[in-house]
Short mmCIF file of all heavy atoms in Angstrom, two decimals:
data_model
loop_
_atom_site.label_atom_id
_atom_site.label_comp_id
_atom_site.label_asym_id
_atom_site.label_seq_id
_atom_site.Cartn_x
_atom_site.Cartn_y
_atom_site.Cartn_z
N MET A 6 146.34 125.11 106.34
CA MET A 6 146.72 124.75 105.00
C MET A 6 145.45 124.40 104.22
O MET A 6 144.56 123.74 104.75
CB MET A 6 147.66 123.54 105.08
CG MET A 6 147.75 122.74 103.81
SD MET A 6 148.81 121.29 103.95
CE MET A 6 147.67 120.13 104.63
N TYR A 7 145.41 124.85 102.98
CA TYR A 7 144.27 124.51 102.13
C TYR A 7 144.39 123.07 101.67
O TYR A 7 145.42 122.66 101.14
CB TYR A 7 144.17 125.43 100.91
CG TYR A 7 143.50 126.74 101.24
CD1 TYR A 7 144.23 127.85 101.61
CD2 TYR A 7 142.11 126.83 101.22
CE1 TYR A 7 143.62 129.04 101.93
CE2 TYR A 7 141.48 128.02 101.55
CZ TYR A 7 142.24 129.12 101.91
OH TYR A 7 141.61 130.29 102.24
N VAL A 8 143.35 122.31 101.89
CA VAL A 8 143.30 120.92 101.44
C VAL A 8 142.55 120.85 100.12
O VAL A 8 142.98 120.20 99.18
CB VAL A 8 142.60 120.03 102.50
CG1 VAL A 8 142.38 118.63 101.99
CG2 VAL A 8 143.42 120.00 103.78
N CYS A 9 141.45 121.56 100.02
CA CYS A 9 140.60 121.56 98.81
C CYS A 9 140.55 122.97 98.25
O CYS A 9 139.91 123.86 98.83
CB CYS A 9 139.20 121.08 99.17
SG CYS A 9 138.04 121.08 97.80
N LEU A 10 141.23 123.16 97.12
CA LEU A 10 141.22 124.49 96.50
C LEU A 10 139.89 124.79 95.82
O LEU A 10 139.45 125.94 95.80
CB LEU A 10 142.36 124.59 95.49
CG LEU A 10 143.77 124.52 96.08
CD1 LEU A 10 144.81 124.55 94.97
CD2 LEU A 10 144.00 125.65 97.06
N CYS A 11 139.24 123.78 95.28
CA CYS A 11 137.96 123.99 94.59
C CYS A 11 136.90 124.58 95.52
O CYS A 11 136.15 125.47 95.13
CB CYS A 11 137.45 122.68 94.00
SG CYS A 11 138.50 121.96 92.73
N GLN A 12 136.84 124.06 96.75
CA GLN A 12 135.83 124.50 97.71
C GLN A 12 136.41 125.44 98.77
O GLN A 12 135.67 125.95 99.61
CB GLN A 12 135.19 123.29 98.40
CG GLN A 12 134.43 122.38 97.46
CD GLN A 12 133.18 123.04 96.91
OE1 GLN A 12 132.62 123.96 97.49
NE2 GLN A 12 132.75 122.58 95.76
N GLY A 13 137.72 125.62 98.77
CA GLY A 13 138.35 126.50 99.75
C GLY A 13 138.31 125.95 101.17
O GLY A 13 138.11 126.69 102.13
N VAL A 14 138.52 124.63 101.31
CA VAL A 14 138.45 123.98 102.61
C VAL A 14 139.86 123.78 103.16
O VAL A 14 140.73 123.25 102.47
CB VAL A 14 137.72 122.61 102.52
CG1 VAL A 14 137.67 121.93 103.87
CG2 VAL A 14 136.33 122.79 101.95
N THR A 15 140.06 124.17 104.41
CA THR A 15 141.36 124.02 105.06
C THR A 15 141.36 122.81 105.98
O THR A 15 140.30 122.28 106.34
CB THR A 15 141.71 125.27 105.88
OG1 THR A 15 140.78 125.39 106.96
CG2 THR A 15 141.69 126.53 105.03
N ASP A 16 142.57 122.41 106.40
CA ASP A 16 142.67 121.31 107.36
C ASP A 16 142.01 121.70 108.68
O ASP A 16 141.41 120.86 109.35
CB ASP A 16 144.12 120.87 107.56
CG ASP A 16 145.03 121.98 108.05
OD1 ASP A 16 144.76 123.17 107.78
OD2 ASP A 16 146.04 121.66 108.70
N GLY A 17 142.08 122.95 109.04
CA GLY A 17 141.43 123.43 110.26
C GLY A 17 139.92 123.28 110.20
O GLY A 17 139.28 122.93 111.20
N GLN A 18 139.34 123.53 109.04
CA GLN A 18 137.89 123.37 108.89
C GLN A 18 137.49 121.90 108.98
O GLN A 18 136.43 121.58 109.53
CB GLN A 18 137.43 123.96 107.56
CG GLN A 18 137.49 125.48 107.52
CD GLN A 18 137.23 126.04 106.14
OE1 GLN A 18 137.88 125.64 105.17
NE2 GLN A 18 136.28 126.96 106.06
N ILE A 19 138.34 121.03 108.47
CA ILE A 19 138.07 119.59 108.57
C ILE A 19 138.12 119.17 110.04
O ILE A 19 137.23 118.47 110.53
CB ILE A 19 139.08 118.79 107.73
CG1 ILE A 19 138.84 119.06 106.24
CG2 ILE A 19 138.97 117.29 108.03
CD1 ILE A 19 139.89 118.47 105.31
N ARG A 20 139.14 119.62 110.75
CA ARG A 20 139.25 119.29 112.18
C ARG A 20 138.06 119.85 112.96
O ARG A 20 137.50 119.18 113.82
CB ARG A 20 140.56 119.84 112.74
CG ARG A 20 141.77 119.07 112.30
CD ARG A 20 143.04 119.55 112.99
NE ARG A 20 144.19 118.91 112.41
CZ ARG A 20 144.93 119.42 111.43
NH1 ARG A 20 144.66 120.61 110.94
NH2 ARG A 20 145.96 118.75 110.96
N ASP A 21 137.68 121.08 112.66
CA ASP A 21 136.54 121.69 113.34
C ASP A 21 135.26 120.90 113.11
O ASP A 21 134.44 120.74 114.02
CB ASP A 21 136.34 123.14 112.90
CG ASP A 21 137.39 124.08 113.46
OD1 ASP A 21 138.10 123.69 114.42
OD2 ASP A 21 137.52 125.21 112.92
N ALA A 22 135.08 120.39 111.88
CA ALA A 22 133.89 119.59 111.58
C ALA A 22 133.86 118.33 112.46
O ALA A 22 132.80 117.94 112.96
CB ALA A 22 133.88 119.21 110.10
N ILE A 23 135.03 117.73 112.67
CA ILE A 23 135.09 116.55 113.53
C ILE A 23 134.83 116.92 114.97
O ILE A 23 134.07 116.25 115.68
CB ILE A 23 136.45 115.84 113.36
CG1 ILE A 23 136.52 115.25 111.95
CG2 ILE A 23 136.65 114.76 114.41
CD1 ILE A 23 137.87 114.75 111.53
N TYR A 24 135.43 118.02 115.44
CA TYR A 24 135.19 118.46 116.81
C TYR A 24 133.73 118.83 117.02
O TYR A 24 133.22 118.73 118.14
CB TYR A 24 136.08 119.66 117.15
CG TYR A 24 137.56 119.38 117.09
CD1 TYR A 24 138.44 120.38 116.69
CD2 TYR A 24 138.10 118.14 117.40
CE1 TYR A 24 139.81 120.14 116.62
CE2 TYR A 24 139.46 117.89 117.33
CZ TYR A 24 140.31 118.90 116.94
OH TYR A 24 141.65 118.67 116.86
N ASP A 25 133.05 119.23 115.94
CA ASP A 25 131.63 119.59 116.03
C ASP A 25 130.70 118.39 115.88
O ASP A 25 129.48 118.55 115.89
CB ASP A 25 131.28 120.64 114.99
CG ASP A 25 131.88 122.00 115.30
OD1 ASP A 25 132.25 122.24 116.47
OD2 ASP A 25 131.99 122.83 114.37
N GLY A 26 131.28 117.18 115.71
CA GLY A 26 130.44 116.00 115.71
C GLY A 26 130.52 115.06 114.53
O GLY A 26 129.94 113.98 114.56
N CYS A 27 131.20 115.44 113.46
CA CYS A 27 131.34 114.52 112.33
C CYS A 27 132.19 113.33 112.77
O CYS A 27 133.21 113.49 113.42
CB CYS A 27 132.00 115.21 111.14
SG CYS A 27 130.96 116.46 110.36
N CYS A 28 131.75 112.13 112.38
CA CYS A 28 132.45 110.91 112.82
C CYS A 28 133.04 110.10 111.68
O CYS A 28 133.53 109.00 111.90
CB CYS A 28 131.48 110.02 113.60
SG CYS A 28 130.87 110.80 115.09
N SER A 29 132.98 110.62 110.46
CA SER A 29 133.50 109.88 109.32
C SER A 29 133.89 110.85 108.20
O SER A 29 133.49 112.02 108.20
CB SER A 29 132.45 108.91 108.78
OG SER A 29 131.37 109.64 108.21
N TYR A 30 134.65 110.32 107.26
CA TYR A 30 135.03 111.13 106.09
C TYR A 30 133.79 111.58 105.33
O TYR A 30 133.70 112.72 104.90
CB TYR A 30 135.96 110.32 105.18
CG TYR A 30 136.22 110.99 103.86
CD1 TYR A 30 137.00 112.13 103.78
CD2 TYR A 30 135.67 110.48 102.70
CE1 TYR A 30 137.23 112.76 102.57
CE2 TYR A 30 135.89 111.10 101.49
CZ TYR A 30 136.67 112.23 101.42
OH TYR A 30 136.89 112.84 100.22
N ARG A 31 132.82 110.68 105.20
CA ARG A 31 131.60 111.01 104.48
C ARG A 31 130.88 112.20 105.12
O ARG A 31 130.43 113.12 104.43
CB ARG A 31 130.67 109.81 104.43
CG ARG A 31 129.33 110.13 103.76
CD ARG A 31 128.46 108.93 103.68
NE ARG A 31 128.98 108.11 102.60
CZ ARG A 31 128.49 106.93 102.25
NH1 ARG A 31 127.48 106.42 102.90
NH2 ARG A 31 129.01 106.27 101.25
N GLU A 32 130.78 112.19 106.45
CA GLU A 32 130.12 113.30 107.14
C GLU A 32 130.90 114.60 106.97
O GLU A 32 130.31 115.66 106.80
CB GLU A 32 129.95 112.96 108.62
CG GLU A 32 128.92 111.89 108.89
CD GLU A 32 128.78 111.56 110.36
OE1 GLU A 32 129.42 112.23 111.20
OE2 GLU A 32 128.04 110.61 110.67
N VAL A 33 132.23 114.51 107.03
CA VAL A 33 133.06 115.70 106.83
C VAL A 33 132.87 116.24 105.41
O VAL A 33 132.74 117.45 105.20
CB VAL A 33 134.55 115.39 107.11
CG1 VAL A 33 135.44 116.54 106.66
CG2 VAL A 33 134.76 115.09 108.58
N ARG A 34 132.83 115.35 104.45
CA ARG A 34 132.64 115.76 103.05
C ARG A 34 131.29 116.45 102.87
O ARG A 34 131.20 117.49 102.20
CB ARG A 34 132.75 114.55 102.13
CG ARG A 34 132.82 114.93 100.66
CD ARG A 34 132.93 113.72 99.77
NE ARG A 34 131.67 112.99 99.86
CZ ARG A 34 131.56 111.69 99.76
NH1 ARG A 34 132.62 110.94 99.59
NH2 ARG A 34 130.39 111.11 99.84
N GLU A 35 130.25 115.90 103.46
CA GLU A 35 128.91 116.50 103.35
C GLU A 35 128.85 117.85 104.05
O GLU A 35 128.16 118.75 103.59
CB GLU A 35 127.86 115.54 103.93
CG GLU A 35 127.66 114.31 103.08
CD GLU A 35 126.80 113.25 103.76
OE1 GLU A 35 126.38 113.46 104.91
OE2 GLU A 35 126.56 112.22 103.12
N THR A 36 129.56 117.98 105.16
CA THR A 36 129.53 119.21 105.94
C THR A 36 130.36 120.32 105.31
O THR A 36 129.93 121.47 105.25
CB THR A 36 130.04 118.94 107.38
OG1 THR A 36 129.20 117.96 107.98
CG2 THR A 36 130.04 120.20 108.21
N THR A 37 131.56 119.98 104.84
CA THR A 37 132.49 121.00 104.36
C THR A 37 132.50 121.17 102.85
O THR A 37 132.92 122.20 102.35
CB THR A 37 133.93 120.69 104.80
OG1 THR A 37 134.36 119.47 104.18
CG2 THR A 37 134.03 120.58 106.32
N GLY A 38 132.11 120.14 102.13
CA GLY A 38 132.18 120.18 100.67
C GLY A 38 133.53 119.74 100.13
O GLY A 38 133.75 119.78 98.92
N VAL A 39 134.43 119.30 101.00
CA VAL A 39 135.75 118.87 100.56
C VAL A 39 135.62 117.68 99.60
O VAL A 39 134.79 116.80 99.80
CB VAL A 39 136.66 118.52 101.78
CG1 VAL A 39 136.20 117.27 102.48
CG2 VAL A 39 138.11 118.41 101.38
N ALA A 40 136.41 117.71 98.53
CA ALA A 40 136.48 116.63 97.53
C ALA A 40 135.17 116.39 96.79
O ALA A 40 134.93 115.28 96.33
CB ALA A 40 136.99 115.34 98.17
N THR A 41 134.33 117.40 96.68
CA THR A 41 133.07 117.21 95.97
C THR A 41 133.12 117.70 94.53
O THR A 41 132.15 117.54 93.80
CB THR A 41 131.91 117.91 96.70
OG1 THR A 41 132.22 119.30 96.84
CG2 THR A 41 131.66 117.29 98.06
N GLN A 42 134.24 118.29 94.12
CA GLN A 42 134.35 118.72 92.73
C GLN A 42 135.33 117.84 91.97
O GLN A 42 134.94 116.81 91.46
CB GLN A 42 134.72 120.19 92.63
CG GLN A 42 133.51 121.07 92.83
CD GLN A 42 133.77 122.50 92.40
OE1 GLN A 42 134.88 123.00 92.49
NE2 GLN A 42 132.74 123.16 91.94
N CYS A 43 136.59 118.20 91.92
CA CYS A 43 137.54 117.43 91.11
C CYS A 43 138.03 116.18 91.84
O CYS A 43 138.42 115.21 91.22
CB CYS A 43 138.71 118.30 90.68
SG CYS A 43 139.94 118.62 91.96
N GLY A 44 138.05 116.19 93.18
CA GLY A 44 138.43 115.02 93.95
C GLY A 44 139.92 114.81 94.16
O GLY A 44 140.32 113.84 94.79
N LYS A 45 140.75 115.70 93.64
CA LYS A 45 142.20 115.53 93.78
C LYS A 45 142.65 115.62 95.23
O LYS A 45 143.71 115.12 95.58
CB LYS A 45 142.95 116.56 92.94
CG LYS A 45 142.83 116.30 91.46
CD LYS A 45 143.62 117.32 90.67
CE LYS A 45 143.47 117.07 89.18
NZ LYS A 45 144.21 118.04 88.38
N CYS A 46 141.87 116.24 96.07
CA CYS A 46 142.24 116.43 97.48
C CYS A 46 141.76 115.30 98.38
O CYS A 46 142.05 115.30 99.58
CB CYS A 46 141.66 117.74 97.98
SG CYS A 46 139.85 117.78 97.91
N ALA A 47 141.07 114.32 97.84
CA ALA A 47 140.44 113.30 98.67
C ALA A 47 141.44 112.55 99.56
O ALA A 47 141.16 112.31 100.73
CB ALA A 47 139.67 112.31 97.80
N CYS A 48 142.60 112.21 99.02
CA CYS A 48 143.58 111.44 99.81
C CYS A 48 144.07 112.25 101.01
O CYS A 48 144.15 111.73 102.12
CB CYS A 48 144.77 111.02 98.95
SG CYS A 48 144.36 109.73 97.78
N VAL A 49 144.37 113.52 100.79
CA VAL A 49 144.85 114.36 101.89
C VAL A 49 143.72 114.60 102.89
O VAL A 49 143.93 114.55 104.09
CB VAL A 49 145.42 115.70 101.36
CG1 VAL A 49 145.78 116.62 102.49
CG2 VAL A 49 146.62 115.43 100.47
N ALA A 50 142.52 114.84 102.38
CA ALA A 50 141.37 115.07 103.27
C ALA A 50 141.12 113.84 104.14
O ALA A 50 140.89 113.97 105.35
CB ALA A 50 140.13 115.40 102.44
N LYS A 51 141.18 112.66 103.55
CA LYS A 51 140.98 111.43 104.33
C LYS A 51 142.06 111.26 105.39
O LYS A 51 141.77 110.82 106.50
CB LYS A 51 140.97 110.21 103.40
CG LYS A 51 139.72 110.09 102.57
CD LYS A 51 139.80 108.91 101.62
CE LYS A 51 138.59 108.87 100.71
NZ LYS A 51 138.67 107.74 99.76
N GLN A 52 143.28 111.63 105.05
CA GLN A 52 144.38 111.53 106.01
C GLN A 52 144.14 112.46 107.20
O GLN A 52 144.32 112.07 108.35
CB GLN A 52 145.70 111.87 105.34
CG GLN A 52 146.89 111.78 106.27
CD GLN A 52 148.19 112.14 105.57
OE1 GLN A 52 148.23 112.36 104.37
NE2 GLN A 52 149.26 112.20 106.34
N VAL A 53 143.71 113.69 106.93
CA VAL A 53 143.43 114.64 108.01
C VAL A 53 142.29 114.11 108.88
O VAL A 53 142.35 114.18 110.11
CB VAL A 53 143.09 116.05 107.46
CG1 VAL A 53 142.63 116.98 108.56
CG2 VAL A 53 144.29 116.63 106.72
N VAL A 54 141.27 113.56 108.25
CA VAL A 54 140.14 112.99 109.01
C VAL A 54 140.61 111.85 109.89
O VAL A 54 140.30 111.80 111.09
CB VAL A 54 139.01 112.53 108.06
CG1 VAL A 54 137.97 111.70 108.81
CG2 VAL A 54 138.35 113.73 107.39
N ARG A 55 141.39 110.92 109.32
CA ARG A 55 141.89 109.77 110.10
C ARG A 55 142.72 110.23 111.29
O ARG A 55 142.53 109.74 112.41
CB ARG A 55 142.74 108.85 109.22
CG ARG A 55 141.97 107.84 108.44
CD ARG A 55 142.88 106.77 107.84
NE ARG A 55 143.93 107.32 106.99
CZ ARG A 55 143.82 107.51 105.68
NH1 ARG A 55 142.69 107.21 105.07
NH2 ARG A 55 144.81 108.01 104.99
N GLU A 56 143.66 111.15 111.04
CA GLU A 56 144.53 111.62 112.13
C GLU A 56 143.72 112.31 113.22
O GLU A 56 143.96 112.10 114.41
CB GLU A 56 145.58 112.57 111.57
CG GLU A 56 146.63 111.88 110.73
CD GLU A 56 147.57 112.85 110.03
OE1 GLU A 56 147.39 114.09 110.17
OE2 GLU A 56 148.48 112.38 109.33
N THR A 57 142.77 113.14 112.82
CA THR A 57 141.98 113.88 113.81
C THR A 57 141.07 112.95 114.60
O THR A 57 140.97 113.08 115.83
CB THR A 57 141.16 114.99 113.12
OG1 THR A 57 142.04 115.80 112.33
CG2 THR A 57 140.46 115.87 114.14
N LEU A 58 140.43 112.00 113.93
CA LEU A 58 139.59 111.04 114.64
C LEU A 58 140.42 110.22 115.61
O LEU A 58 139.98 109.94 116.73
CB LEU A 58 138.85 110.13 113.66
CG LEU A 58 137.69 110.76 112.89
CD1 LEU A 58 137.17 109.80 111.83
CD2 LEU A 58 136.58 111.19 113.83
N SER A 59 141.62 109.85 115.21
CA SER A 59 142.52 109.11 116.11
C SER A 59 142.90 109.95 117.31
O SER A 59 142.89 109.46 118.45
CB SER A 59 143.77 108.69 115.34
OG SER A 59 144.67 108.05 116.19
N ASP A 60 143.22 111.22 117.09
CA ASP A 60 143.56 112.12 118.20
C ASP A 60 142.40 112.27 119.17
O ASP A 60 142.58 112.25 120.39
CB ASP A 60 143.98 113.50 117.68
CG ASP A 60 145.30 113.48 116.94
OD1 ASP A 60 146.04 112.47 117.04
OD2 ASP A 60 145.60 114.48 116.25
N VAL A 61 141.19 112.42 118.63
CA VAL A 61 140.00 112.57 119.47
C VAL A 61 139.76 111.29 120.26
O VAL A 61 139.47 111.34 121.46
CB VAL A 61 138.77 112.93 118.61
CG1 VAL A 61 137.47 112.79 119.39
CG2 VAL A 61 138.91 114.33 118.06
N GLN A 62 139.92 110.14 119.61
CA GLN A 62 139.73 108.86 120.28
C GLN A 62 140.74 108.68 121.41
O GLN A 62 140.39 108.25 122.51
CB GLN A 62 139.90 107.72 119.28
CG GLN A 62 138.75 106.78 119.23
CD GLN A 62 138.96 105.72 118.17
OE1 GLN A 62 139.94 105.69 117.44
NE2 GLN A 62 138.01 104.82 118.10
N ASN A 63 141.99 109.01 121.16
CA ASN A 63 143.03 108.89 122.17
C ASN A 63 142.77 109.83 123.35
O ASN A 63 143.01 109.47 124.50
CB ASN A 63 144.41 109.15 121.58
CG ASN A 63 144.85 108.04 120.66
OD1 ASN A 63 144.37 106.92 120.75
ND2 ASN A 63 145.75 108.36 119.74
N ALA A 64 142.30 111.03 123.05
CA ALA A 64 142.00 111.99 124.11
C ALA A 64 140.85 111.47 124.99
O ALA A 64 140.91 111.58 126.21
CB ALA A 64 141.64 113.35 123.52
N HIS A 65 139.84 110.89 124.37
CA HIS A 65 138.72 110.34 125.14
C HIS A 65 139.16 109.14 125.96
O HIS A 65 138.71 108.96 127.09
CB HIS A 65 137.56 109.96 124.23
CG HIS A 65 136.79 111.14 123.75
ND1 HIS A 65 136.08 111.13 122.57
CD2 HIS A 65 136.61 112.38 124.25
CE1 HIS A 65 135.50 112.31 122.39
NE2 HIS A 65 135.81 113.08 123.40
N ALA A 66 140.03 108.32 125.40
CA ALA A 66 140.51 107.14 126.12
C ALA A 66 141.31 107.54 127.35
O ALA A 66 141.20 106.92 128.40
CB ALA A 66 141.35 106.27 125.20
N SER A 67 142.11 108.59 127.22
CA SER A 67 142.92 109.01 128.37
C SER A 67 142.07 109.66 129.44
O SER A 67 142.44 109.66 130.62
CB SER A 67 144.03 109.96 127.93
OG SER A 67 143.49 111.18 127.47
N LEU A 68 140.91 110.17 129.08
CA LEU A 68 140.00 110.77 130.06
C LEU A 68 139.11 109.73 130.72
O LEU A 68 138.51 110.00 131.76
CB LEU A 68 139.12 111.83 129.39
CG LEU A 68 139.84 113.07 128.88
CD1 LEU A 68 138.84 113.97 128.16
CD2 LEU A 68 140.49 113.82 130.02
N ALA A 69 139.03 108.55 130.14
CA ALA A 69 138.12 107.52 130.65
C ALA A 69 138.51 107.06 132.05
O ALA A 69 137.65 106.77 132.87
CB ALA A 69 138.08 106.34 129.70
N PHE A 70 139.80 107.01 132.33
CA PHE A 70 140.26 106.54 133.63
C PHE A 70 141.27 107.52 134.20
O PHE A 70 142.47 107.36 134.03
CB PHE A 70 140.90 105.15 133.51
CG PHE A 70 139.95 104.11 133.00
CD1 PHE A 70 140.02 103.69 131.70
CD2 PHE A 70 138.98 103.58 133.83
CE1 PHE A 70 139.14 102.74 131.22
CE2 PHE A 70 138.09 102.64 133.37
CZ PHE A 70 138.16 102.21 132.05
N PRO A 71 140.79 108.55 134.87
CA PRO A 71 141.70 109.52 135.47
C PRO A 71 142.66 108.83 136.44
O PRO A 71 142.33 107.80 137.02
CB PRO A 71 140.80 110.49 136.22
CG PRO A 71 139.44 110.27 135.66
CD PRO A 71 139.39 108.86 135.14
N ALA A 72 143.82 109.41 136.63
CA ALA A 72 144.86 108.82 137.49
C ALA A 72 144.36 108.60 138.92
O ALA A 72 144.76 107.65 139.58
CB ALA A 72 146.09 109.73 137.50
N SER A 73 143.46 109.45 139.39
CA SER A 73 142.98 109.31 140.77
C SER A 73 142.14 108.05 140.97
O SER A 73 141.95 107.60 142.08
CB SER A 73 142.16 110.54 141.16
OG SER A 73 141.04 110.67 140.33
N PHE A 74 141.66 107.44 139.86
CA PHE A 74 140.86 106.24 139.97
C PHE A 74 141.63 104.97 139.62
O PHE A 74 141.09 103.90 139.63
CB PHE A 74 139.63 106.34 139.06
CG PHE A 74 138.65 107.38 139.50
CD1 PHE A 74 138.48 108.54 138.78
CD2 PHE A 74 137.91 107.21 140.66
CE1 PHE A 74 137.58 109.51 139.20
CE2 PHE A 74 137.01 108.17 141.09
CZ PHE A 74 136.85 109.31 140.35
N ALA A 75 142.88 105.09 139.28
CA ALA A 75 143.69 103.94 138.92
C ALA A 75 143.90 103.05 140.13
O ALA A 75 144.13 103.53 141.24
CB ALA A 75 145.02 104.38 138.33
N GLN A 76 143.85 101.76 139.89
CA GLN A 76 144.08 100.82 140.98
C GLN A 76 145.58 100.66 141.19
O GLN A 76 146.35 100.65 140.26
CB GLN A 76 143.47 99.46 140.64
CG GLN A 76 141.97 99.47 140.68
CD GLN A 76 141.41 98.08 140.42
OE1 GLN A 76 142.09 97.22 139.90
NE2 GLN A 76 140.16 97.90 140.79
N ALA A 77 145.96 100.47 142.43
CA ALA A 77 147.38 100.32 142.75
C ALA A 77 147.78 98.87 142.75
O ALA A 77 147.04 97.98 142.84
CB ALA A 77 147.67 100.92 144.10
#
C-alpha cells in the first residue's frame, strides 16, 4: 500500500528500511523520503514504523531464550 504519494513510498519500503537497520521514524524518513513534502502521510508512516519495530523487537525477544535452554 502506498503510504506517501508525494515520494511514492510504500509500507513495504518502510518495513524494508527497518529490516535494513533503521531504528526510528527519523531514520526511516531520511532513508525513504516519506513525509518530506506535504507531510499528510506522517501519521500512517509513524504507525507502520511503530508496528514494524515492535514486531522486530518481539521476534528478537523470542529468539533470546530458545525452548531448549528454558529452565524446568
Side-chain angles (χ1 to χ4, degrees):
M6 159 182 84
Y7 278 94
V8 173
C9 178
L10 295 177
C11 297
Q12 296 293 336
V14 179
T15 65
D16 59 333
Q18 289 172 306
I19 292 172
R20 287 186 187 94
D21 287 344
I23 292 169
Y24 298 147
D25 289 341
C27 291
C28 297
S29 67
Y30 171 71
R31 176 178 284 178
E32 289 179 5
V33 170
R34 191 180 67 212
E35 291 170 358
T36 300
T37 64
V39 69
T41 57
Q42 280 194 328
C43 77
K45 290 182 181 180
C46 61
C48 288
V49 174
K51 287 177 184 179
Q52 180 181 355
V53 173
V54 169
R55 275 193 303 269
E56 289 172 359
T57 307
L58 286 173
S59 177
D60 291 347
V61 167
Q62 234 177 358
N63 290 337
H65 284 154
S67 67
L68 293 176
F70 300 103
S73 61
F74 293 109
Q76 289 183 341

